[in-house]
């Protein structure tokens, strides 16, 4: 047990073992992480402001062009109206009296033309043409349909739903009483397959820290969400079993990986980084959306183990950004000792509930 001072804030702490020369306490490290995140957010805000300015300039230019075109059209319309008015006014003057006005109004009222829109249907030739065309269409439908000569014909229109078509075919079968299936072969399966669309599959794969999180994760969609817990699994174990777990996952599944806690207790930083790189190659062979979940702290271990985990999380975030994967950290959310069980490694019920809720929210954002 030695008393050491933080190189950043100057606070003294009692630690096990011999700390490094440039020792920094946990609070100062959290402040450094917050500063890095704030810098990243400021850069994003600046890029968004620049994008908005450029977008406003483009919209102003388009608005000016549209205003110029509308003004030209208004000028042309005004010129046309003025020419028409001049033409009307250029005619000769007429003497209009009260009688002539009334006579013109009565004449205009009597000259209303009435037309029958259905006059063509009354024509015999037009009616015959309509009848012959309808007979031809019915004959074509009878030739294509699988219904016999003595059976009733059901006309199928494009607006009819598949369920309505099936109900009509069943009704005709019952009325005829012959027990034949009037539906063409393969149409039932095709209608059912066209109505059923498979949703996107979600897989949460990791070590024993994923125990008892299946309820909050799979509650929204139990058929398409799976939690695969591998107790004591390391990065290499997940790499070996990944393709077997994802067999039949469908097109473009969402994969969330929470692994690496057991590796930090046995392997060096370079070995852990190499295992992550090999796992990334395996994931790139599978067409999927991949998100890595950050390693949680281990309260039962000393400061050296926590520093090692924070270093790996920092490297993992940069590597995921470079390789095109997602990374979701939990370090700040699991700083309370009550979220872990007595062994200081696994999560308590409260911790399991919190991790499950965070992963469920992550899945919701990723799918939407």
């Amino acid at each position: 047990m030695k008393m050491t001072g933080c190189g950043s804030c100057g606070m003294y702490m009692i630690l096990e073992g011999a700390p490094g020369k440039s020792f920094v306490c946990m609070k100062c490290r959290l402040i450094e992480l917050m500063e890095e995140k704030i810098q990243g957010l400021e850069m994003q805000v600046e890029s968004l402001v620049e994008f908005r300015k450029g977008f406003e300039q483009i919209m102003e230019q388009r608005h000016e062009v549209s205003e110029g075109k509308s003004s030209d059209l208004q000028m042309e319309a005004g010129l046309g109206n003025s020419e028409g008015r001049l033409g009307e006014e250029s005619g000769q003057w007429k003497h209009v009296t009260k009688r002539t006005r009334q006579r013109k109004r009565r004449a205009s009222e009597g000259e209303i033309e009435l037309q029958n829109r259905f006059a063509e249907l009354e024509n015999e030739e037009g009616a015959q043409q309509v009848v012959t065309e309808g007979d031809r269409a019915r004959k074509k439908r009878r030739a294509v349909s699988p219904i016999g000569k003595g059976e009733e014909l059901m006309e199928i229109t494009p607006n009819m739903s598949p369920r309505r078509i099936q109900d009509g075919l069943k009704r005709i079968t019952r009325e005829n009483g012959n027990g034949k299936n009037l539906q063409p072969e393969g149409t039932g399966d095709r209608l059912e397959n066209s109505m059923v669309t498979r949703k996107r599959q979600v897989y949460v794969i990791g070590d024993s820290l994923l125990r008892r999180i299946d309820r909050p994760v799979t509650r929204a969609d139990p058929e398409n969400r799976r939690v695969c817990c591998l107790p004591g699994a390391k990065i290499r174990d997940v790499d070996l079993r990944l393709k077997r777990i994802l067999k039949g996952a469908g097109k473009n599944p969402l994969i969330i990986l929470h692994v690496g806690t057991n590796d930090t207790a046995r392997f060096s930083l370079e070995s852990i980084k190499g295992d992550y790189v090999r796992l990334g190659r395996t994931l790139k062979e599978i067409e999927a959306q991949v998100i890595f979940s950050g390693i949680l702290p281990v309260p039962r271990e000393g400061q050296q183990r926590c520093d090692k985990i924070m270093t790996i999380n920092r490297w993992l975030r940069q590597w995921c950004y470079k390789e095109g994967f997602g990374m979701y950290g939990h370090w700040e959310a699991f700083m309370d000792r009550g979220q872990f069980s007595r062994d200081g490694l696994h999560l308590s019920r409260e911790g399991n509930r919190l991790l499950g809720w965070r992963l469920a929210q992550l899945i919701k954002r990723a799918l939407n």
Side-chain angles (χ1 to χ4, degrees), residues 86-314:
L86 289 172
E88 291 176 358
E89 292 175 358
S90 61
Q92 296 180 358
W93 289 92
K94 292 182 179 180
H95 182 69
V96 180
T97 61
K98 188 175 181 181
R99 286 185 178 180
T100 55
R101 274 173 147 181
Q102 291 177 355
R103 286 174 187 170
K104 284 183 179 179
R105 190 179 298 167
R106 289 172 186 170
S108 62
E109 288 176 357
E111 291 177 357
I112 297 175
E113 295 181 1
L114 298 176
Q115 295 181 356
N116 186 5
R117 292 184 296 170
F118 304 100
E120 294 181 0
L121 295 177
E122 295 176 358
N123 189 3
E124 294 181 358
E125 294 180 358
Q128 289 177 358
Q129 290 179 359
V130 172
V131 171
T132 54
E133 289 178 359
D135 292 338
R136 289 174 186 172
R138 289 194 191 92
K139 288 178 181 179
K140 286 182 181 178
R141 289 199 209 105
R142 287 197 185 98
V144 175
S145 65
I147 305 174
K149 294 181 179 179
E151 298 173 355
E152 185 182 353
L153 178 66
M154 184 184 72
E155 296 183 2
I156 299 174
T157 62
N159 294 328
M160 293 178 68
S161 63
R163 187 182 295 277
R164 190 174 176 187
I165 294 171
Q166 290 181 351
D167 294 341
L169 292 172
K170 291 178 182 177
R171 179 177 56 79
I172 295 170
T173 305
R174 287 196 302 269
E175 291 177 357
N176 292 330
N178 53 8
K180 293 182 181 180
N181 186 11
L182 303 179
Q183 193 172 358
E185 295 181 358
T187 55
D189 298 335
R190 186 167 63 250
L191 290 172
E192 291 178 359
N193 293 333
S194 63
M195 294 172 67
V196 177
T197 56
R198 189 178 182 184
K199 291 185 179 180
R200 196 173 170 194
Q201 302 291 304
V202 179
Y203 288 83
V204 181
I205 306 169
D207 49 22
S208 57
L209 291 175
L210 298 183
R211 289 175 181 170
R212 297 188 295 272
I213 70 162
D214 50 346
R215 283 190 178 181
V217 171
T218 62
R219 185 183 292 119
D221 192 0
E223 296 181 358
N224 300 301
R225 297 187 184 184
R226 293 175 177 84
V227 178
C228 184
C229 177
L230 306 173
K234 295 180 281 294
I235 302 172
R236 298 174 185 177
D237 301 328
V238 174
D239 189 12
L240 293 173
R241 301 184 186 181
L242 188 62
K243 291 186 178 179
R244 195 190 314 166
I245 295 170
L246 298 177
K247 189 176 181 180
K251 186 178 180 182
N252 191 23
L254 173 62
I255 303 171
I256 299 175
L257 296 170
H258 185 89
V259 66
T261 304
N262 298 318
D263 296 78
T264 58
R266 300 181 182 181
F267 304 118
S268 62
L269 290 174
E270 297 301 326
S271 177
I272 294 171
K273 292 178 183 178
D275 292 341
Y276 271 119
V277 171
R278 282 189 288 272
L279 179 59
R281 292 173 187 167
T282 306
L283 289 167
K284 285 189 176 180
E285 296 176 1
I286 306 167
E287 294 182 359
Q289 181 183 0
V290 181
I291 301 175
F292 280 88
S293 178
I295 304 174
L296 300 181
V298 182
R300 75 178 183 184
E301 301 292 338
Q303 187 67 28
Q304 293 181 356
R305 178 85 176 270
C306 292
D307 293 343
K308 186 177 181 180
I309 293 173
M310 290 182 69
T311 304
I312 293 171
N313 282 337
R314 195 178 298 116

Side-chain angles (χ1 to χ4, degrees), residues 44 292 315-327:
Q44 291 180 4
F292 280 88
W315 174 86
L316 184 62
R317 185 179 295 277
Q318 296 174 358
W319 176 76
C320 288
Y321 179 77
K322 180 181 177 182
E323 297 294 329
F325 301 139
M327 199 277 182

Side-chain angles (χ1 to χ4, degrees), residues 212 299 337-349:
R212 297 188 295 272
R337 181 65 175 82
Q339 294 167 348
F340 294 86
S341 59
R342 292 180 180 179
D343 61 0
L345 175 63
H346 298 92
L347 296 173
S348 62
R349 292 190 178 275

